[in-house]
Amino acid sequence: MKIALLGAGHIGQTIARLLHATGDYRVTVIDKNAKYLAALDNEGIATAEVDTENKAALAAQLRGKDAVVNALPYHLAITAATLALECGCHYFDLTEDVAATKAIKDLARNAKTAFMPQCGLAPGFIGIVAHHLAKQFDEVRDVQMRVGALPAFPTNALKYNLTWSVDGLINEYCHPCEAIHGGEFISALPLEGLEHFSLDGTEYEAFNTSGGLGTLCETWAGQVRNLDYKTVRYPGHRDLMKFLLEDLALASDQDRLKDIMRKSMPATMQDVVLVFVTVSGLKNGVLMQEVFARKIFAERDAKAPLSAIQITTAAGICAAVDLFREGRLPQSGFIRQEEVELPAFLANRFGQAYQQSRQVESIG
């Protein structure tokens, strides 16, 4: 299967190496950064130095490929999906942006190729888990989805290090959040809905952020009382972000905030990804609750270290592409994450990254 992989950043490089190593994919990595591409060139992975915002140049690289795997920033998702449609390619991406996903869904109508956005961790794997648990109930009442990509050793006041895209981080902190409350669809404010919980003896907070639900609100409309998604951080992070975004009005000057964070907040490869889903409802007339919890840790291999967010995000989209190639997903039109069966995902050679992690036994 011939793949055009857009983006050679940390996540893009991980995706490229995973797909290339199988021998089942002929990957060409497309990016404008020659330095990032050089590392892949040295490993025998095909690359093309192209300005990914130049539509004509990008389209020329997509023609003749079977699928586009988009690991570019969220604001380029609609352009990439549109070009994939024009070039007759299937399309997969990692976007958490609600508007971009809706636009891609419109593009997919009557398309002969498949369009599957939101293939990462959240949205992505978290929706597959929640849907799987919810299907086990005769009547679903509450679905709560919590995900965090956190530094293993926080040292600053925000208790945070850059573990993934700054663009995506600020985007999810600034846009309205979809949810179902009391059986009705609502649009909640980001950074609101603060709650605290403990897991494995560590204290966390969680609050509303945009995009993590994917298409679950639409899928479960009229069938659930409450359904929401919140991002997990260490206590105190939310209040400081509200100060920056609201009191200092940096929500209206996001470029400045992103620049500040890139210059002052170091990235880390020593992170942990927390996945925590609870679903409650009726089974045979009895009120029951099911819980899925995982902690995925960074791999500290001296030659090829991988952060937990690299592992989980790349595993999500690679598993989606792999299941599609095997014919286990629809072959045209818009594909929702919840159309992936959780057992099939976890059994997949890429999805096993979530199986190999330590499962949390105690929930407090």
Side-chain angles (χ1 to χ4, degrees):
M1 189 175 187
K2 293 179 287 186
I3 301 289
L5 173 55
L6 309 184
H10 287 303
I11 302 299
Q13 290 198 17
T14 306
I15 295 167
R17 292 182 177 113
L18 287 174
L19 293 178
H20 176 75
T22 67
D24 294 325
Y25 299 93
R26 292 170 55 192
V27 181
T28 301
V29 184
I30 301 166
D31 201 294
K32 61 183 178 182
N33 190 311
K35 181 180 178 181
Y36 290 165
L37 294 175
L40 296 170
D41 270 327
N42 293 335
E43 298 174 31
I45 299 174
T47 64
E49 185 179 345
V50 174
D51 181 354
T52 48
E53 298 191 45
N54 183 322
K55 294 181 182 179
L58 188 55
Q61 291 293 329
L62 302 189
R63 293 188 184 98
K65 302 297 192 297
D66 296 310
V68 172
V69 175
N70 179 15
L72 293 170
Y74 75 91
H75 63 271
L76 295 173
I78 297 174
T79 296
T82 301
L83 292 177
L85 178 65
E86 293 174 359
C87 295
C89 301
H90 304 294
Y91 176 84
F92 302 82
D93 76 21
L94 299 166
T95 188
E96 80 290 338
D97 189 69
V98 175
T101 301
K102 290 179 178 177
I104 292 168
K105 186 177 180 182
D106 289 338
L107 286 173
R109 286 196 178 96
N110 303 316
K112 295 180 180 179
T113 50
F115 288 78
M116 190 175 186
Q118 305 183 314
C119 295
L121 168 62
F125 179 72
I126 190 71
I128 296 170
V129 171
H131 186 69
H132 174 79
L133 294 183
K135 288 192 301 180
Q136 300 175 26
F137 289 83
D138 302 320
E139 178 186 321
V140 183
R141 292 195 177 179
D142 302 297
V143 179
Q144 296 182 325
M145 305 154 64
R146 309 290 184 259
V147 171
L150 303 164
F153 309 106
T155 57
N156 53 39
L158 274 174
K159 299 177 184 176
Y160 191 75
N161 289 86
L162 298 181
T163 60
W164 66 299
S165 163
V166 178
D167 291 325
L169 178 73
I170 301 305
N171 183 57
E172 71 173 15
Y173 282 179
C174 292
H175 285 82
C177 313
E178 295 179 334
I180 294 175
H181 181 72
E184 300 293 330
F185 174 84
I186 65 168
S187 181
L189 291 174
L191 304 182
E192 297 300 325
L194 182 66
E195 63 187 35
H196 293 86
F197 67 95
S198 63
L199 187 64
D200 255 10
T202 301
E203 296 295 322
Y204 300 99
E205 66 181 22
F207 47 87
N208 299 336
T209 55
S210 176
L213 280 177
T215 54
L216 280 178
C217 280
E218 183 178 343
T219 298
W220 284 91
Q223 304 176 72
V224 62
R225 182 176 62 184
N226 299 305
L227 185 153
D228 62 22
Y229 169 85
K230 296 182 181 182
T231 286
V232 177
R233 296 287 184 255
Y234 295 117
H237 178 92
R238 193 287 305 250
D239 288 345
L240 288 174
M241 288 307 305
K242 280 180 68 72
F243 171 74
L244 291 170
L245 291 166
E246 298 178 9
D247 294 355
L248 296 187
L250 289 174
S252 58
D253 192 358
Q254 294 181 25
D255 288 340
R256 176 179 293 183
L257 178 57
K258 293 173 187 176
D259 187 55
I260 291 171
M261 295 186 75
R262 289 189 181 104
K263 289 179 178 178
S264 61
M265 187 170 293
T268 184
M269 296 292 287
Q270 297 172 286
D271 64 339
V272 57
V273 164
L274 172 65
V275 178
F276 185 29
V277 182
T278 64
V279 179
S280 62
L282 297 179
K283 288 185 177 182
N284 299 317
V286 179
L287 183 61
M288 300 288 292
Q289 183 183 68
E290 295 286 347
V291 176
F292 181 100
R294 290 284 193 278
K295 279 185 177 179
I296 298 93
F297 297 90
E299 293 183 1
R300 301 301 298 158
D301 185 294
K303 293 183 178 179
L306 288 173
S307 68
I309 193 63
Q310 280 179 290
I311 294 167
T312 51
T313 304
I317 197 165
C318 287
V321 173
D322 217 29
L323 291 169
F324 175 82
R325 184 186 62 85
E326 294 171 352
R328 306 185 70 172
L329 291 173
Q331 298 295 293
S332 63
F334 186 80
I335 306 175
R336 303 167 189 254
Q337 290 301 311
E338 50 268 33
E339 293 182 64
V340 178
E341 295 290 339
L342 180 61
F345 182 98
L346 294 175
N348 179 267
R349 54 185 167 180
F350 301 115
Q352 286 175 5
Y354 284 91
Q355 282 281 54
Q356 294 167 358
S357 63
R358 177 171 60 85
Q359 183 164 357
V360 180
E361 299 294 344
S362 59
I363 306 293

